[in-house]
Amino acid sequence: MTTTRRDVLRLTGALLAGTAGVGAVTASAGCQFRSGDRDDPEAGGHKAAPAEALVVELSDGKLAVVDAASGRILVPPAPAVVSGDGRRLVRVERPDGGTRLTSHRLPDGAAVAAGTLTGALAVRATSPDGALVALANDTGPGHSPYRPGPRERTTIVVADGAGQRRRLELPGNLEPEAFDATGSALFVLDYLPPTAPDRYRVRVVDLASGQVETLLTRVKAAVPEGAEEEMRGEGRQAVYDRQRNRLFTLYTHQPDHVHTRDRIAAATDPNGAGAREDAPHVHAFVHTLDLNERWAFCVDLPAPFGERAAVGHTIALSRDGSRLYVADTGSGALATIDPEGLIVMDSVRFDELARTSGSNEAVPAAATFDGAGMLLVGAGREVVGMAVTAGGGTDPRWSTPAEVRGLAGPPDGTRLYVGQPDAVLRVDAGTGSVRQRIDVPGLVALRQVIAPT
């Protein structure tokens, strides 16, 4: 899952008033259906199960789920997160001062669990299967997991389908990020200083004891006191590796950043020369969080990664999980990473895409794969395909009607959807020809496509 971490996730007044304002669909044959709760006329008077569901991000960070075939709203807009396996969306509402938590099955959007928790809470993370949910107290408008407001203490609530399982009151400014594989621990972003945060470190909370602990290194040793990485990243995106149960997060623009391995080297070198001299010159890296073994490791990216606008960077995991790719559309750089060995295998150049936006402002980048294993990268009004596997064919390049706001498709890659302002297009991956338009007023980004099992 690509979550601009995650950076992860961000309604117009019509949407807040209800769902009827979203989703007229125009198919290539000219048939039109309207959104809402009316029955699909081709479903014999009954609502048809969605062929595919589109998870879209709207203004104010709200997510909604739209039926790709009919444009019908399956899950109305609300602050929400999607599980790592793509089979649950968990959303929150705020009735009477409490927090209403509802879990929806995907792709059909059916509510499968709901309950009310005490206090004003924001949903932050789920376990990979969506069975567990982590929430934290909300500090007000504008608060997000990556731009938190000041607070000296944090309330973290872990819930499941039966309701609240654990409520912790912890010192510091913490934001839940992911559960470990056992569901007994929660990785959090620990912001420093708590009342005026300008950097953060990743730590883990033991849910039984409530203790906040350091992570392990890749060799499964405890990180020494004072050797934890403190990050100041911009423009974050993340992908979840189901095969290895790892979270890969792209960070760019890291002023005065030194990795844990270099801090440890400096601390153990009697001459104080253990830290690599080139570490301050690394402007981007991929942070690897192993959810099975609770260790973290950073893969440095070579120049020019991180030297241009953060939003022009994007990350994608190949469909078979064998390669991880990072693209910088502003400079036209593509890095290939071995997600097992955690090394950069190659770095090549392609024609940059940011210049196609028609302005000097940075434009967001997106990436996905088609059914043949072609890596598709989009920014501005252009999408370029790159044959990253042997025998992958020629590299297509095509234009979109408006600015790209996300690229996604089902796991088999048989269809490609492109986010646009106020719409999602289903297109031919080789030519960009529009096959279908789904109107989504207020769309900020297309996040995921969920296919039936």
Side-chain angles (χ1 to χ4, degrees), residues 24-42:
V25 175
T26 304
S28 57
C31 299
Q32 291 191 0
F33 302 99
R34 295 290 172 182
S35 67
D37 293 330
R38 294 193 300 273
D39 293 339
D40 186 329
E42 295 185 359

Side-chain angles (χ1 to χ4, degrees), residues 138-348:
D138 199 337
T139 57
H143 180 106
S144 82
Y146 313 110
R147 296 184 182 276
R151 61 184 174 200
E152 293 183 338
R153 297 186 63 81
T154 301
T155 300
I156 292 179
V157 174
V158 175
D160 61 13
Q164 178 177 305
R165 289 183 50 164
R166 193 82 168 92
R167 180 178 290 258
L168 300 172
E169 301 291 342
L170 301 173
N173 193 338
L174 309 176
E175 285 289 346
E177 182 175 43
F179 285 90
D180 80 336
T182 68
S184 63
L186 182 68
F187 297 99
V188 297
L189 305 180
D190 180 14
Y191 283 90
L192 303 170
T195 57
D198 63 6
R199 62 192 187 278
Y200 53 91
R201 59 192 177 186
V202 182
R203 309 193 97 184
V204 62
V205 178
D206 183 284
L207 294 176
S209 67
Q211 293 297 310
V212 182
E213 304 166 350
T214 62
L215 299 183
L216 301 178
T217 66
R218 193 179 176 190
V219 295
K220 304 177 187 177
V223 176
E225 187 70 28
E228 292 176 89
E229 295 179 58
E230 295 181 359
M231 292 168 275
R232 295 178 172 87
E234 295 181 33
R236 306 148 47 99
Q237 280 194 346
V239 292
Y240 171 61
D241 182 348
R242 302 181 192 182
Q243 179 179 324
R244 300 172 183 84
N245 203 20
R246 292 176 182 173
L247 188 66
F248 295 106
T249 305
L250 172 63
Y251 291 84
T252 61
H253 297 295
Q254 302 287 321
D256 303 321
H257 177 77
V258 181
H259 296 317
T260 291
R261 58 180 178 266
D262 302 315
R263 289 176 177 267
I264 294 174
T268 57
D269 189 329
N271 298 317
R276 297 195 329 269
E277 294 181 357
D278 64 340
H281 303 292
V282 173
H283 297 289
F285 62 87
V286 175
H287 185 273
T288 306
L289 185 59
D290 191 291
L291 306 182
N292 292 322
E293 299 177 345
R294 300 190 189 180
W295 53 256
F297 185 82
C298 293
V299 182
D300 289 338
L301 295 172
F305 290 97
E307 295 178 359
R308 299 205 181 194
V311 295
H313 294 68
T314 185
I315 185 171
L317 183 67
S318 62
R319 295 194 183 279
D320 64 1
S322 64
R323 295 291 182 268
L324 185 67
Y325 296 92
V326 177
D328 172 13
T329 59
S331 63
L334 176 70
T336 304
I337 297 172
D338 174 3
E340 187 64 42
L342 300 179
I343 59 171
V344 176
M345 303 174 64
D346 191 17
S347 181
V348 299

Side-chain angles (χ1 to χ4, degrees), residues 48-99:
E52 290 169 344
L54 311 177
V55 179
V56 297
E57 179 183 336
L58 306 169
S59 58
D60 300 328
K62 293 180 171 65
L63 300 185
V65 181
V66 179
D67 183 347
S70 69
R72 180 165 51 94
I73 298 302
L74 302 173
V75 181
V81 295
V82 179
S83 62
D85 65 5
R87 294 298 151 189
R88 290 286 185 272
L89 178 141
V90 183
R91 62 195 295 269
V92 295
E93 299 168 286
R94 297 279 179 75
D96 303 324
T99 298

Side-chain angles (χ1 to χ4, degrees), residues 333-372:
L334 176 70
T336 304
I337 297 172
D338 174 3
E340 187 64 42
L342 300 179
I343 59 171
V344 176
M345 303 174 64
D346 191 17
S347 181
V348 299
R349 305 303 289 268
F350 62 94
D351 289 338
E352 68 273 13
L353 294 172
R355 60 180 173 79
T356 64
S357 66
S359 72
N360 292 323
E361 296 183 3
V363 294
T368 192
F369 286 86
D370 69 7

Side-chain angles (χ1 to χ4, degrees), residues 312 314 316 325-334 348-356 364-370 373-388 392-400 404 406-407 416 418 427-432:
T314 185
Y325 296 92
V326 177
D328 172 13
T329 59
S331 63
L334 176 70
V348 299
R349 305 303 289 268
F350 62 94
D351 289 338
E352 68 273 13
L353 294 172
R355 60 180 173 79
T356 64
T368 192
F369 286 86
D370 69 7
M374 178 83 68
L375 174 64
L376 300 167
V377 179
R381 295 189 177 188
E382 295 258 0
V383 175
V384 61
M386 287 170 270
V388 293
T394 59
D395 296 352
R397 187 180 183 115
W398 38 267
S399 299
T400 58
V404 173
L407 295 171
L416 176 65
V418 181
V427 305
D428 181 281
T431 66

